[in-house]
């Protein structure tokens, strides 16, 4: 992998890898599919007391690097009975990264509505899910790094005729295997907690905007503040 291939995305803001793909609290209608993509960017990662430069290089595990925005393509299919399933592909590059220049990953998840409560105003929707993902990162000529993750997201949505406002929370565990094939370094286990608030256009689905925070629960103030932009459309 040549450095200039990754530098093509430098005009975009900095980003950090997300855990839960952008999605509404409500599920996709049975027999229909929702396709789309998202861009996740972060202006700062880390403890503010550490200064700007330190914050920009804390977005990933060792070795240090400055991550570019995460690009993700999404597909969800409604299953009926208040459930849907999703699959997303993720790509993210880094600069100033001696070993992990590019990361590619897949995430699969299932989501179910726990409660749907219509009112005279918005409809209240509570849902939860289960997700799992894997990713490989590295550069040509060096051992690849492998990452596996599973998590539980929770969603609360206020569904209006044309909009859905979504509050989200997630807890996940990530296992990172540095130089996976060579087995030179021990695995690194970490827990991630996420909070988010977003607005999604609906009927029909189109753009979405979300602000999220991803962090280690034991060091809550050293997390990543992310801005996510998405575009979705329903088919079927």
């Amino acid at each position: 992998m040549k450095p200039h291939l990754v530098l093509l995305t430098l005009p975009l803001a900095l980003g950090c890898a997300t855990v839960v793909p952008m999605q509404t609290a409500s599920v996709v209608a049975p027999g229909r599919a929702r396709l789309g993509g998202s861009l996740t960017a972060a202006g700062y990662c880390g403890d503010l007391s550490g200064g700007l430069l330190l914050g920009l290089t804390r977005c990933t595990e060792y070795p240090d690097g400055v991550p570019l925005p995460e690009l993700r393509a999404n597909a969800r299919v409604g299953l009926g009975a208040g459930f849907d399933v999703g699959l997303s592909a993720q790509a993210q590059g880094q600069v100033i990264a001696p070993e992990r220049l590019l990361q590619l990953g897949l995430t699969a998840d299932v989501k179910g509505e726990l409660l749907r409560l219509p009112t005279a105003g918005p409809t209240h929707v509570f849902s939860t899910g289960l997700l799992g993902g894997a990713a490989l990162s590295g550069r040509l000529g060096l051992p690849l790094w492998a990452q596996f993750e599973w998590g539980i997201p929770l969603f609360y949505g206020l569904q209006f005729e044309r909009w859905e406002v979504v509050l989200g929370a997630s807890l996940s565990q990530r296992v990172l295997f540095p130089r996976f094939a060579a087995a030179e370094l021990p695995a690194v286990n970490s827990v991630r907690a996420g909070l988010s608030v977003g607005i999604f256009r609906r009927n029909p689905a189109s753009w979405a905007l979300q602000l999220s925070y991803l962090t280690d629960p034991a060091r809550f103030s050293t997390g990543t503040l992310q801005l996510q932009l998405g575009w979705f459309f329903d088919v079927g």
Side-chain angles (χ1 to χ4, degrees), residues 95-166:
V95 294
I96 322 177
E99 294 191 47
R100 302 172 65 191
L101 189 64
L102 180 65
Q103 176 171 291
L104 300 174
L106 288 174
T107 299
D109 73 285
V110 59
K111 181 181 65 186
E113 290 186 7
L114 300 178
L115 178 65
R116 173 175 285 267
L117 182 62
T119 66
T123 296
H124 300 261
V125 182
F126 295 88
S127 61
T128 187
L130 182 65
L131 66 85
L136 292 175
S137 58
R139 66 165 70 215
L140 290 180
L142 295 177
L144 294 176
W145 294 50
Q147 176 179 298
F148 301 92
E149 192 157 9
W150 70 274
I152 299 175
L154 297 170
F155 304 98
Y156 166 58
L158 289 173
Q159 193 177 72
F160 299 87
E161 182 181 0
R162 295 291 184 184
W163 308 95
E164 185 171 335
V165 179
V166 180

Side-chain angles (χ1 to χ4, degrees), residues 143 178-186:
R179 303 169 189 165
F180 181 65
E184 298 177 3
L185 298 173

Side-chain angles (χ1 to χ4, degrees), residues 14-224:
L14 297 174
C16 302
T18 58
V19 178
V20 182
M22 287 185 73
Q23 57 182 298
T24 58
S26 58
V27 301
V28 178
R32 303 198 72 184
R34 180 168 297 156
L35 307 178
S38 63
L39 172 69
T40 299
Y44 193 86
C45 305
D47 193 341
L48 290 173
S49 64
L52 180 62
L53 181 60
L54 183 58
L56 292 178
T57 58
R58 270 187 177 169
C59 295
T60 59
E61 294 86 357
Y62 175 87
D64 287 339
V66 179
L68 302 173
E70 179 205 68
L71 300 174
R72 189 180 289 267
N74 303 277
R76 303 196 69 81
V77 177
L79 297 180
F83 285 89
D84 63 12
V85 294
L87 181 68
S88 64
Q90 171 250 5
Q92 185 175 31
Q94 286 194 122
V95 294
I96 322 177
E99 294 191 47
R100 302 172 65 191
L101 189 64
L102 180 65
Q103 176 171 291
L104 300 174
L106 288 174
T107 299
D109 73 285
V110 59
K111 181 181 65 186
E113 290 186 7
L114 300 178
L115 178 65
R116 173 175 285 267
L117 182 62
T119 66
T123 296
H124 300 261
V125 182
F126 295 88
S127 61
T128 187
L130 182 65
L131 66 85
L136 292 175
S137 58
R139 66 165 70 215
L140 290 180
L142 295 177
L144 294 176
W145 294 50
Q147 176 179 298
F148 301 92
E149 192 157 9
W150 70 274
I152 299 175
L154 297 170
F155 304 98
Y156 166 58
L158 289 173
Q159 193 177 72
F160 299 87
E161 182 181 0
R162 295 291 184 184
W163 308 95
E164 185 171 335
V165 179
V166 180
L167 300 178
S170 66
L171 188 65
S172 64
Q173 183 174 17
R174 176 179 296 178
V175 183
L176 179 67
F177 294 91
R179 303 169 189 165
F180 181 65
E184 298 177 3
L185 298 173
V188 178
N189 285 272
S190 59
V191 176
R192 300 297 174 94
L195 299 171
S196 65
V197 56
I199 182 168
F200 294 75
R201 187 80 162 99
R202 62 184 301 268
N203 285 337
S206 58
W207 62 268
L209 178 66
Q210 182 168 282
L211 187 65
S212 62
Y213 186 69
L214 182 64
T215 188
D216 178 347
R219 297 176 295 164
F220 193 82
S221 65
T222 61
T224 303

